[in-house]
């Protein structure tokens, strides 16, 4: 760095980007409580889903062990349903973790007031929206396939009904 | 004369934070915008489907009103009410998200800290709305559980008839 006390020293020009203002940090500081709240709700929802899944699977195991008629079907349905719920719970936990990390980055930003933490917060937020967006695309594809199967099934059942 | 030996973490007299380019933040938000817009659009479409379900429930209730009693229309009316509520919630949240995406678009075009502040403020508005909707949803579920708890013994007693 040049010595500013030397004669003829010319200070560098100000940054053309204009820098960031504390108002930006305040806006994110106002976001943090709600982000944390949604994240915690996501964790709690995932927890309930896991409990429900385990209860379902336990019910299936008991039904299978009972040996009654149809118990094998009940076992299969309950175990399958439980696995599906566990997968869904996993899908809910991932964005909740991303939101929690976003909230933590905002907290770091509020403490440090550093642009590095602002960049980190924005990246974490981008990661959250990317994950949610990809999940939505997958859900749309699944719904589309289910709709096609449903329409196909209805058309097939109508065709199977003999005409008078 | 400004002290050139200060670290990048200090706040200047203008309130600006040195050591960070606005361009990097705009770049990150520009990569965020497509996903935000996608989620907003899917939310609006889901709101539309919910409203369609609400209309179907309304028709079913109107149909049942002519043939059966209160019990026959209860379920369609309940479905209509819930679908309307869900649809309006999705629409409200999705509009907030869309506005956030629009704020990012404006920021990309202008590149000014003022527009960054506006975009982040709109994001704050979205998360606040989402949080409030979650709280209201939990209250509704709690009320529904209370209603179910109190009405189930009453309806069971009514169905069993006089002893």
């Amino acid at each position: 760095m040049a010595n500013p006390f030397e004669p003829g020293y010319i200070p560098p020009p100000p940054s053309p980007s204009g820098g960031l203002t504390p108002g930006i940090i305040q806006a994110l500081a106002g976001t943090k409580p709600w982000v944390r709240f949604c994240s915690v709700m996501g964790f709690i929802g995932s927890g309930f889903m896991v409990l429900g899944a385990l209860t379902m699977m336990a019910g299936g195991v008991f039904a299978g062990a009972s040996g009654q008629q149809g118990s094998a079907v009940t076992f299969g349905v309950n175990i399958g349903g439980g696995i599906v719920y566990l997968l869904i719970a996993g899908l809910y936990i991932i964005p909740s973790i991303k939101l929690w990390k976003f909230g933590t980055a905002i907290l770091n930003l509020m403490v440090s007031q550093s642009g590095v933490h602002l960049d980190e917060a924005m990246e974490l937020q981008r990661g959250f929206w990317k994950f949610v967006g990809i999940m939505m695309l997958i859900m749309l594809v699944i719904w589309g396939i289910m709709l096609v199967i449903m329409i196909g099934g209805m058309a097939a059942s109508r065709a199977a009904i003999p005409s008078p | 004369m400004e002290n050139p030996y200060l670290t990048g973490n200090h706040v200047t007299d203008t309130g600006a934070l040195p050591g960070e380019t606005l361009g990097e933040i705009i770049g990150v938000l520009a990569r965020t915008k497509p996903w935000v817009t996608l989620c907003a659009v899917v939310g609006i479409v889901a709101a539309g489907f919910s409203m369609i379900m609400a209309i179907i429930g309304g028709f079913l209730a109107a149909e049942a009103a002519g043939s059966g009693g209160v019990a026959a229309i209860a379920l369609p009316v309940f479905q209509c009410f819930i679908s309307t509520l869900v649809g309006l919630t999705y629409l409200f949240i999705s509009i907030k998200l869309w506005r956030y995406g629009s704020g990012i678009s404006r920021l990309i075009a202008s590149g000014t800290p003022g527009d960054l502040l506006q975009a982040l403020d709109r994001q704050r508005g979205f998360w606040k709305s989402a949080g409030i909707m979650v709280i209201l949803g939990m209250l509704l579920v709690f009320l529904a559980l209370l209603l179910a708890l109190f009405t189930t013994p009453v309806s069971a007693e009514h169905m069993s008839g006089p002893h």
Side-chain angles (χ1 to χ4, degrees):
Chain A
M1 179 181 283
N3 185 352
F5 299 105
E6 271 186 355
Y9 168 76
I10 300 169
S15 166
S17 66
L20 302 168
T21 64
I24 289 165
I25 297 174
Q26 281 167 15
L28 282 170
T31 306
K32 185 179 83 68
W34 298 107
V35 164
R36 290 280 207 198
F37 175 70
C38 291
S39 171
V40 166
M41 287 296 112
F43 285 133
I44 291 173
S46 301
F48 275 119
M49 271 192 184
V50 169
L51 276 175
L54 292 175
T55 305
M56 203 177 209
M57 290 163 90
V61 166
F62 284 129
S66 68
Q68 291 175 354
Q69 191 179 10
S71 59
V73 173
T74 307
F75 172 81
V77 167
N78 277 22
I79 295 295
I83 290 171
V84 168
Y85 266 114
L86 282 175
L87 287 171
I88 293 172
L91 288 176
Y92 267 98
I93 279 184
I94 294 171
S96 301
I97 291 172
K98 287 183 181 283
L99 269 184
W100 184 267
K101 284 183 176 179
F102 176 38
T104 304
I106 294 174
L107 189 62
N108 293 338
L109 171 65
M110 286 160 64
V111 169
S112 69
Q113 304 233 337
S114 160
V116 172
H117 285 126
L118 176 58
D119 197 35
E120 182 191 350
M122 293 295 101
E123 274 289 348
L124 286 166
Q125 184 218 184
R126 184 191 66 81
F128 167 79
W129 285 116
K130 184 176 175 181
F131 181 84
V132 171
I134 290 170
M135 284 298 111
M136 283 200 171
L137 284 172
I138 292 171
M139 287 297 296
L140 284 173
V141 168
I142 291 172
W143 284 341
I145 291 170
M146 281 171 63
L147 191 65
V148 166
I149 290 172
M150 203 166 64
I151 292 171
M154 280 167 62
S157 63
R158 279 199 171 186
I161 296 171
S163 54
Chain B
M1 175 188 289
E2 191 178 337
N3 185 348
Y5 298 105
L6 284 173
T7 65
N9 287 342
H10 87 286
V11 179
T12 64
D13 291 338
T14 60
L17 297 168
E20 180 56 66
T21 59
L22 187 56
E24 290 176 17
I25 305 298
I26 293 173
V28 173
L29 284 172
R31 294 199 304 278
T32 307
K33 183 185 166 301
W35 301 109
V36 166
T37 305
L38 170 68
C39 292
V41 166
V42 171
I44 289 169
V45 168
F49 275 120
S50 273
M51 299 312 279
I52 290 171
M53 293 297 292
I55 292 169
I56 290 173
F59 276 125
L60 288 174
E63 221 177 80
S67 53
V70 174
I73 68 169
L75 192 59
V77 166
F78 181 71
Q79 184 226 322
C80 181
F81 172 72
I82 292 295
S83 294
T84 306
L85 211 60
V86 168
L88 288 174
T89 303
Y90 279 173
L91 189 65
F92 181 67
I93 296 288
S94 299
I95 287 172
K96 290 269 182 189
L97 201 53
W98 182 269
R99 280 170 49 83
Y100 175 39
S102 302
I104 295 175
S105 292
R106 180 183 286 183
L107 169 66
I108 292 167
S110 71
T112 61
D115 281 335
L116 173 61
L117 178 60
Q118 187 187 61
L120 292 178
D121 201 52
R122 286 184 178 185
Q123 185 206 195
R124 183 192 60 82
F126 164 76
W127 283 115
K128 183 177 175 182
S129 302
I132 290 171
M133 288 297 143
V134 167
I135 292 170
L136 287 175
M138 282 164 56
L139 277 174
L140 271 175
V141 167
F142 180 68
L143 284 171
L145 281 173
L146 276 180
L147 194 68
L149 267 173
F150 283 117
T151 55
T152 306
V154 170
S155 59
E157 196 180 309
H158 178 74
M159 281 166 63
S160 65
H163 300 287

